[in-house]
Amino acid sequence: MNTQSPHITIVLGTRPEIIKLAPIIRACEARSTSYSVIHTGQHYSKNLNEVFFDQLELPQPDYNLAVGSASHGEQTGEMIIGIEEILLEEGTDVVLVQGDTNSVLAGTIAATKLDCEVGHVEAGLRSFDRDMPEEKNRVLTDHAADYLFAPTEQSEALLLEEGLPKDRIYVTGNTVVDAVHQNRELASQKSSVLEEFGLNDTEYGLLTAHRAENVDEKNTFMNLLEGVERVGEELGVEFLYPIHPRARGQLEEFGLQIPEHTQIIPPQDYLDFLQLQSNAKVILTDSGGVQEEACVLNVPCVTLRENTERPETLDVGANCLAGTAPHEIVETTNMMIQTERGWENPFGDGTTAKMILQTIIQSQQQEAV
Ligand code: UD1
Ligand code: UDP
């Protein structure tokens, strides 16, 4: 390996990975680190992918595997084949992956089969729900990784409980804070989304729901939507729902009605979505990243799941679990809209990307001596 600067290959494939790895890409650029980006092509629609590269002014990925949508095995398998070829060609020292998607697992497996180390950004998150594909991806990735970048001491403790050695774990905060800090001000200056939807002087709620466990089963999705409708009726909150293509597909397949008091809109770009989050009265979501961002932006959040791998947001009082039963959604939302804001953000001070990069470079240089 190059003792001066290791070569880092960043593997990404979905919307949240682009957003949360953008600060690391920027840090690589700022330090003139030798790096490249492999896009697996898991997300390919313009509004889940390209729009983030453009808006965050990221260089185009060096490689795009264009695997597209498929079953878990086929999608992950195709990614592994493509990533392996590139890693062999590039002489990569460290592969960086972020989060819990199939792209993360593929990057990890391809790298660990070669002479490459793996860095897992957002290590040690656990929902303890083995039905979630994301939970399996997280566990497998953490146990294969050489650098475990845990956002908090709680996530570090979970890794230690699973027997992972302390010298592989680095508590760094979460790059979601870097991303919010780098873009919040820009969003309030540049985004005209509130005007576009006539929300300047109006209280509104923001909804996102896309997780397989919520939208792939008709009754669960129907209950969730009914809960949102009842929040509208009983608490007088009107919702905007930027809908993920998976959820839109399922809504159409099941022939479900769009709930009253809810306006469905296309997936939003990052600045518009940040602006929508910042000004919302309450956020209802099953997204991991949105739970964190709501907490950082000081907006109350109701999680439409029975569990979360972000318990820190519950502990500080920023978030509450409601599941998908309509009466629970109404009760929890009622409680959260009255909650006092001003909690402390548990995910770091926005310097996570720099810390992660520094750790990798330092450790690679020590290994080379
Ligand atoms: C994936 C992740 C999930 C993450 C989400 C972020 C896994 C197992 N799941 O879920 O953890 O929360 O990304 O948004 O990795 N589709 C499009 N355009 C696209 C991509 C997908 O229309 O660009 C549609 C296709 O119909 C596809 C479906 O969405 O079948 C699901 O896509 P997929 O990438 O399998 O999973 P996500 O639900 O996006
Ligand atoms: N997001 C966005 N536009 C939207 C919805 C979400 O830019 O219309 C961003 C959001 O700010 C967060 C990320 O997408 O950073 C979360 O991604 P998602 O909910 O798809 O995945 P998860 O975090 O659940 O894996």
Side-chain angles (χ1 to χ4, degrees):
M1 69 157 267
N2 180 346
T3 53
Q4 290 313 304
S5 172
H7 184 77
I8 298 173
T9 300
I10 296 171
V11 175
L12 48 75
T14 68
R15 169 170 71 185
E17 293 160 71
I18 302 165
I19 292 169
K20 287 177 171 178
L21 284 167
I24 296 192
I25 294 174
R26 284 192 179 157
C28 287
E29 292 278 342
R31 276 187 76 141
S32 304
T33 306
S34 167
Y35 82 102
S36 50
V37 175
I38 303 178
H39 194 315
T40 63
Q42 180 171 349
H43 281 179
Y44 45 85
S45 297
K46 189 171 181 199
N47 56 17
L48 288 191
N49 174 39
E50 204 181 308
V51 73
F52 298 101
F53 280 90
D54 292 348
Q55 195 167 58
L56 297 168
E57 296 178 9
L58 299 174
Q60 284 309 301
D62 301 275
Y63 308 90
N64 193 325
L65 303 176
V67 299
S69 306
S71 68
H72 286 275
E74 188 182 332
Q75 189 181 54
T76 312
E78 272 193 39
M79 290 177 195
I80 295 171
I81 296 170
I83 295 167
E84 182 181 65
E85 262 179 43
I86 298 166
L87 296 182
L88 284 169
E89 207 177 282
E90 290 224 309
T92 297
D93 297 300
V94 180
V95 168
L96 258 190
V97 292
Q98 187 284 332
D100 52 25
T101 66
N102 289 345
S103 299
V104 172
L105 182 63
T108 302
I109 293 177
T112 51
K113 295 280 180 188
L114 300 173
D115 188 21
C116 294
E117 296 198 309
V118 177
H120 187 203
V121 180
E122 219 175 76
L125 272 63
R126 295 290 180 270
S127 65
F128 301 103
D129 179 354
R130 301 271 295 177
D131 289 336
M132 291 175 72
E134 292 87 355
E135 183 73 354
K136 290 173 187 149
N137 290 342
R138 288 181 201 118
V139 172
L140 291 166
T141 299
D142 282 339
H143 283 257
D146 303 279
Y147 299 92
L148 294 158
F149 297 113
T152 66
E153 278 164 15
Q154 278 194 55
S155 32
E156 176 185 44
L158 291 174
L159 293 168
L160 292 171
E161 270 172 38
E162 289 178 15
L164 287 159
K166 195 167 170 62
D167 63 4
R168 268 188 228 161
I169 308 172
Y170 305 85
V171 178
T172 55
N174 193 313
T175 56
V176 77
V177 182
D178 306 30
V180 170
H181 285 188
Q182 286 166 18
N183 295 290
R184 179 171 32 188
E185 202 44 47
L186 212 57
S188 75
Q189 286 163 12
K190 282 198 169 176
S191 167
S192 53
V193 72
L194 299 178
E195 289 81 4
E196 193 185 324
F197 292 108
L199 296 169
N200 260 334
D201 302 310
T202 317
E203 287 191 331
Y204 64 91
L206 187 64
L207 167 68
T208 82
H210 74 282
R211 289 298 180 113
E213 71 267 24
N214 276 347
V215 305
D216 283 5
E217 209 269 316
K218 185 176 178 183
N219 277 334
T220 309
F221 199 11
M222 210 162 62
N223 276 337
L224 185 156
L225 295 174
E226 191 192 321
V228 176
E229 183 165 290
R230 282 180 44 186
V231 170
E233 268 156 25
E234 296 174 34
L235 308 179
V237 183
E238 300 286 318
F239 282 92
L240 220 54
Y241 180 10
I243 195 164
H244 185 289
R246 176 184 208 111
R248 184 180 279 283
Q250 295 301 85
L251 194 79
E252 283 162 11
E253 191 180 319
F254 297 145
L256 298 175
Q257 295 294 320
I258 296 168
E260 298 278 327
H261 309 287
T262 303
Q263 187 183 348
I264 291 197
I265 59 172
Q268 298 293 294
D269 65 40
Y270 187 51
L271 295 186
D272 284 349
F273 192 71
L274 269 182
Q275 184 70 348
L276 285 172
Q277 287 188 98
S278 304
N279 291 280
K281 186 180 175 72
V282 67
I283 298 174
L284 271 54
T285 192
D286 60 8
S287 159
V290 175
Q291 288 174 66
E292 293 159 351
E293 286 171 353
C295 182
V296 176
L297 292 166
N298 209 22
V299 178
C301 182
V302 173
T303 292
L304 305 170
R305 290 173 43 191
E306 303 293 343
N307 52 56
T308 179
E309 53 290 309
R310 276 89 177 169
E312 298 88 347
T313 60
L314 306 178
D315 296 344
V316 299
N319 184 15
C320 195
L321 298 177
T324 51
H327 72 280
E328 292 284 354
I329 295 177
V330 176
E331 273 172 36
T332 313
T333 306
N334 192 24
M335 187 188 77
M336 286 310 287
I337 55 182
Q338 295 174 55
T339 201
E340 198 160 319
R341 302 185 185 202
W343 48 77
E344 209 172 303
N345 149 40
F347 296 118
D349 62 2
T351 57
T352 298
K354 280 186 190 154
M355 276 165 75
I356 287 174
L357 196 55
Q358 174 65 15
T359 302
I360 294 173
I361 291 172
Q362 220 171 29
S363 146
Q364 288 287 305
Q365 286 173 343
Q366 278 162 7
E367 272 178 40
V369 175

